[in-house]
Amino acid sequence: ICREYITAIRIKSAMNIAAADPVRGTELAAYFTHCNLQPVHLLLALRSAMGTAFKHKNYILAASFARRLLELPDMSSEKNADLK
């Protein structure tokens, strides 16, 4: 799991470098969501990627991220308390 977080940090830093290029930023945001992160961190990555895709008027990709957000287990429920 440590390797996945290192990969995620590298992608996030590349997103900051490519801030001027919206296509590359959206692509890196999509890659960032495919890292094997804990569910709480995946939720943040999906929300960020959805916002980035929506800002750049890529509504199909934003809808895909929203769908993945809805498919995540509910973090506040008692049966999923062990996922935190």
Side-chain angles (χ1 to χ4, degrees):
I1 194 162
C2 182
R3 179 180 53 183
E4 293 290 330
Y5 275 86
I6 291 171
T7 303
I9 290 171
R10 286 182 179 168
I11 292 172
K12 191 69 171 168
S13 68
M15 285 171 56
N16 292 337
I17 293 170
D21 185 12
V23 175
R24 182 68 177 156
T26 306
E27 180 184 16
L28 288 170
Y31 286 143
F32 185 63
T33 64
H34 287 285
C35 293
N36 189 18
L37 305 175
Q38 292 181 359
V40 176
H41 299 140
L42 182 60
L43 175 98
L44 294 173
L46 285 169
R47 288 183 68 190
S48 172
M50 183 179 64
T52 302
F54 189 81
K55 281 184 208 172
H56 300 302
K57 296 185 179 10
N58 193 339
Y59 301 120
I60 294 172
L61 190 59
S64 173
F65 293 136
R67 194 171 303 114
R68 286 180 59 195
L69 266 171
L70 291 174
E71 290 172 357
L72 282 177
D74 185 20
M75 293 295 136
S76 62
S77 69
E78 291 180 17
K79 68 178 184 178
N80 291 326
D82 60 332
L83 292 176
K84 287 186 176 181

